[in-house]
Amino acid sequence: MVVVELEGSISVEMTTGDSKPCKYTIMYEGEQVAQYETSADPRTTGGRIGLRNIVCRHVSGVDKNAIDERLSTEISQNAEALSNEFGTR
């Protein structure tokens, strides 16, 4: 599992899904607000944007651009851990 910290008390747990390659759990203030499985790898533009949209849909009052920027940074910084979790692209 790879956990990325976003804005404030928002984090995303990324792990291998049961039915799809990627499983995301969005946490806000210590509570799960969303969980879903997808084929969209967070290391791709589409996967990152999809994840950003889910975060923004389930956590009110967040800045979409700030979340996108933070996801980009965190995904880059966790590239090795993500490759270990999801395999190489």
Side-chain angles (χ1 to χ4, degrees):
M1 177 181 3
V2 179
V3 178
V4 296
E5 300 293 330
L6 301 178
E7 190 175 273
S9 54
I10 305 167
S11 64
V12 179
E13 297 173 358
M14 303 178 184
T15 189
T16 306
D18 298 320
S19 60
K20 299 213 175 161
C22 305
K23 179 178 179 180
Y24 304 129
T25 303
I26 291 95
M27 305 292 289
Y28 178 59
E29 295 182 345
E31 294 193 24
Q32 178 180 316
V33 294
Q35 184 176 65
Y36 71 106
E37 293 189 21
T38 181
S39 298
D41 190 304
R43 297 168 291 179
T44 66
T45 301
R48 188 188 77 247
I49 289 172
L51 181 53
R52 176 204 68 195
N53 290 342
I54 293 292
V55 169
C56 292
R57 189 174 300 134
H58 291 279
V59 181
S60 61
V62 296
D63 181 272
K64 209 175 221 186
N65 292 328
I67 293 295
D68 192 46
E69 207 172 284
R70 189 72 182 152
L71 275 171
S72 293
T73 301
E74 288 290 323
I75 288 167
S76 293
Q77 289 177 349
N78 288 284
E80 185 176 342
L82 288 166
S83 290
N84 291 338
E85 186 68 40
F86 300 125
T88 55
R89 287 193 287 165

